[in-house]
C-alpha cells in the first residue's frame, strides 16, 4: 500500500510522515531528500546548475540509501549537508529538470515496490503514484509554516527570523507551484488536511484515521 503525502514546505510533512509510517508499520520515503542529494552532488562537483544533461546523469547514477533519518550518498552520510540553506536555495534547477524528475520518480517507484510506504513530496499523489490507495494534501498558513521552519533551523544551530523564512518560502512556493512537470498540487482524490493550531500527534491521529478508513473500505 502507498500513502502519498504532498504539500508545501513547512506544512509538517516530514515529521508527520515519519510518525504515521511508524504507527502503521510502513516504511517512509522522503523524496525531497532525493532532489536535495542531486543538488548537493552537483554543487560539490561544480556542475553548472543549468546543465540538464549532467544533472540527469547524476540522478541516474547516484547511489542513494536511507536508514531512518540518515541519507547516504554513494555510501557517505550526507544527512546534514543536503539540508543546508544553500542547497535549499539552489534546488530549483534540479527540481525543474524533467529528465532528473524522470529518473527520481522511477527510483521512487522501485523503492516503493519493495513494501508498504508512506511517501512524501510534492508530486507523489499526482505523478509518482497516481494509483496510490490513499492520498493526503497537507497544508498550513504561511505564518505557521514559517514558524515551524525557523524552529527547525534553530535546532540545527541556524538563527533566522520568521520574516526571512517567509521570504525564502514564498520564492520556493512559487517555484514548486509553477514547474512544468511535477508541480505542487492537490490530486483530485486527495484529502486536504490543514495543520494550523494542531499538535503533531493530533495530525498523526487524523491521518491514521483516514488511512485506516481507506484500508477498511478497500475492495477485497
Ligand atoms: O521537502 P523538501 O523541502 O525537502 O523538498 C526540497 C525541494 O525538492 C522542494 O522545494 C521541491 C523539490 N521536490 C520536488 O520537486 N518533488 C518532490 N517530490 C519533492 C521535493
Amino acid at each position: 500500500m502507498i500513502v502519498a503525502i504532498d504539500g508545501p514546505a513547512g506544512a509538517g510533512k516530514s515529521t508527520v510522515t515519519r510518525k504515521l509510517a511508524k504507527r502503521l508499520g510502513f516504511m517512509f520515503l522522503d523524496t525531497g531528500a532525493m532532489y536535495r542529494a542531486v543538488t548537493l552532488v552537483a554543487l560539490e562537483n561544480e556542475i553548472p546548475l543549468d546543465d540538464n544533461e549532467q544533472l540527469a546523469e547524476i540522478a541516474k547514477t547516484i547511489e542513494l540509501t536511507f536508514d531512518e533519518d540518515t541519507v547516504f550518498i554513494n555510501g557517505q552520510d550526507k544527512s546534514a549537508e543536503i539540508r543546508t540553506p544553500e542547497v535549499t536555495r539552489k534546488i530549483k534547477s534540479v527540481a525543474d529538470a524533467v529528465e532528473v524528475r524522470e529518473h527520481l520518480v522511477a527510483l521512487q517507484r522501485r523503492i516503493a515496490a519493495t513494501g508498504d510506504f508512506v511517501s512524501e513530496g510534492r508530486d507523489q499523489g499526482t505523478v509518482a503514484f497516481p494509483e496510490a490507495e490513499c492520498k493526503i494534501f497537507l497544508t498550513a498558513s504561511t505564518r505557521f509554516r514559517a514558524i515551524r521552519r525557523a524552529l527547525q533551523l534553530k535546532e540545527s544551530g541556524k538563527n533566522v527570523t520568521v520574516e526571512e523564512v517567509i521570504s525564502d518560502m514564498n520564492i520556493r512556493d512559487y517555484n514548486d507551484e509553477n514547474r512544468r512537470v511535477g508541480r505542487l498540487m492537490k490530486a483530485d482524490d486527495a484529502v486536504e488536511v490543514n495543520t494550523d493550531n494542531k499538535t503533531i500527534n493530533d495530525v498523526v491521529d487524523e491521518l491514521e484515521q483516514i488511512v485506516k478508513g481507506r484500508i477498511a473500505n478497500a475492495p477485497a
Side-chain angles (χ1 to χ4, degrees):
M1 178 171 184
I2 304 283
V3 178
I5 303 191
D6 292 305
K13 280 194 315 293
S14 57
T15 315
V16 162
T17 303
R18 283 161 174 74
K19 287 189 184 286
L20 179 67
K22 205 159 245 169
R23 279 209 203 164
L24 296 167
F26 286 18
M27 287 174 279
F28 72 83
L29 188 55
D30 171 0
T31 63
M34 297 181 170
Y35 292 89
R36 290 176 178 278
V38 174
T39 308
L40 179 68
V41 171
L43 291 174
E44 283 179 347
N45 292 287
E46 294 178 15
I47 307 289
L49 290 174
D50 57 0
D51 187 338
N52 283 1
E53 222 168 279
Q54 289 205 67
L55 294 179
E57 191 55 29
I58 297 173
K60 191 175 157 188
T61 53
I62 194 169
E63 194 197 303
L64 275 177
T65 40
F66 298 88
D67 180 12
E68 294 279 317
D69 286 334
T70 313
V71 180
F72 296 92
I73 303 178
N74 302 326
Q76 282 189 308
D77 178 358
K78 296 281 185 179
S79 319
E81 289 86 341
I82 61 167
R83 306 211 176 277
T84 61
E86 196 203 354
V87 168
T88 307
R89 253 178 241 126
K90 303 238 161 104
I91 218 161
K92 178 186 186 307
S93 330
V94 170
D96 281 353
V98 176
E99 305 84 345
V100 169
R101 301 199 74 87
E102 280 170 4
H103 288 302
L104 295 186
V105 166
L107 175 61
Q108 290 156 23
R109 290 181 182 150
R110 284 200 300 277
I111 294 174
T114 63
D116 293 321
F117 272 87
V118 182
S119 187
E120 60 124 328
R122 303 294 187 286
D123 59 347
Q124 298 302 284
T126 50
V127 177
F129 305 108
E131 310 297 333
E133 289 86 346
C134 184
K135 300 179 187 178
I136 290 157
F137 195 74
L138 223 52
T139 61
S141 64
T142 307
R143 188 133 207 109
F144 267 92
R145 290 167 49 210
I147 291 170
R148 273 196 202 116
R149 211 29 153 210
L151 284 173
Q152 275 171 0
L153 288 168
K154 200 169 179 188
E155 273 168 24
S156 59
K158 291 171 200 82
N159 265 322
V160 287
T161 65
V162 170
E163 276 59 40
E164 281 168 334
V165 178
I166 289 179
S167 149
D168 277 356
M169 207 169 235
N170 285 339
I171 297 171
R172 197 137 72 98
D173 281 355
Y174 179 84
N175 293 337
D176 284 351
E177 286 162 7
N178 290 285
R179 64 178 46 94
R180 195 156 57 88
V181 175
R183 74 176 63 92
L184 171 68
M185 63 177 196
K186 177 181 167 297
D188 289 340
D189 51 351
V191 181
E192 183 162 340
V193 174
N194 183 294
T195 65
D196 281 4
N197 284 316
K198 291 178 189 162
T199 65
I200 290 166
N201 268 337
D202 286 345
V203 179
V204 178
D205 285 345
E206 196 174 334
L207 301 195
E208 191 182 6
Q209 291 315 310
I210 295 171
V211 177
K212 293 204 164 145
R214 288 296 160 98
I215 294 173
N217 292 321

